[in-house]
Amino acid sequence: MSYDDNNIFAKILRGEIPCKKIYEDDFVLSFHDINPQKAIHALVIPKGKYVDLDDFIQNASPEEMTGLLKGINIVSKKLGISTENGNGYRALTNIGKDGGQEVPHLHFHLFGGEKIGKMVE
Ligand code: AMP
């Protein structure tokens, strides 16, 4: 699947639509999910144009990979849900149709602030 420049997260990255920003650096942008499923529901997205995790693994640079993983850790600490300053969280990424992915720009969901419960329905 080729990258769609008109997906909603591409528009957020270009500043064309607003988001409730949590954190930003050279590699990632993080913001609150518009339709939170748990007490805390944040999204962490790479700044590069990657459709999903498979695309990212195959095409991202080592710096981008490190940047995304570090971004998740930074955001978890900022939100007080890391195991260092909170009670932990779940990081999840949906891939493709069967994975339930709706927005075709790689994103990690961070769920926390309460017990997250069953891993899958
Ligand atoms: P997924 O199903 O993994 O692709 O998740 C897409 C997520 O993006 C959902 O949890 C949506 O609630 C969220 N979402 C969609 N539009 C926006 C938006 N404009 N700002 C923040 N989150 C959004």
Side-chain angles (χ1 to χ4, degrees):
M1 185 185 185
S2 61
Y3 186 81
D4 171 12
D5 271 312
N6 285 319
N7 79 75
I8 195 113
F9 293 169
K11 290 180 181 173
I12 288 175
L13 279 169
R14 290 196 296 268
E16 292 168 9
I17 61 170
C19 69
K20 285 172 67 182
K21 192 191 288 189
I22 299 164
Y23 175 73
E24 181 172 15
D25 62 24
D26 287 348
F27 296 104
V28 299
L29 175 66
S30 176
F31 47 93
H32 292 282
D33 196 289
I34 204 165
N35 183 23
Q37 303 297 309
K38 293 291 170 189
I40 293 175
H41 183 175
L43 299 170
V44 182
I45 73 174
K47 288 201 165 168
K49 296 179 179 184
Y50 300 103
V51 175
D52 57 24
L53 187 62
D54 283 344
D55 183 19
F56 189 75
I57 289 167
Q58 290 176 93
N59 297 306
S61 68
E63 291 76 20
E64 288 175 304
M65 292 188 189
T66 305
L68 177 58
L69 291 175
K70 281 188 183 292
I72 290 171
N73 180 249
I74 291 166
V75 170
S76 73
K77 286 184 194 153
K78 270 184 100 71
L79 293 171
I81 58 174
S82 81
T83 51
E84 284 172 48
N85 67 356
N87 291 326
Y89 64 101
R90 181 169 299 157
L92 176 154
T93 186
N94 295 319
I95 302 168
K97 200 160 48 156
D98 281 1
Q101 183 178 5
E102 287 171 9
V103 178
H105 180 112
L106 172 60
H107 50 282
F108 275 87
H109 298 259
L110 306 191
F111 300 106
E114 61 179 313
K115 283 250 192 243
I116 302 309
K118 252 180 95 171
M119 192 156 70
V120 288
E121 293 294 313

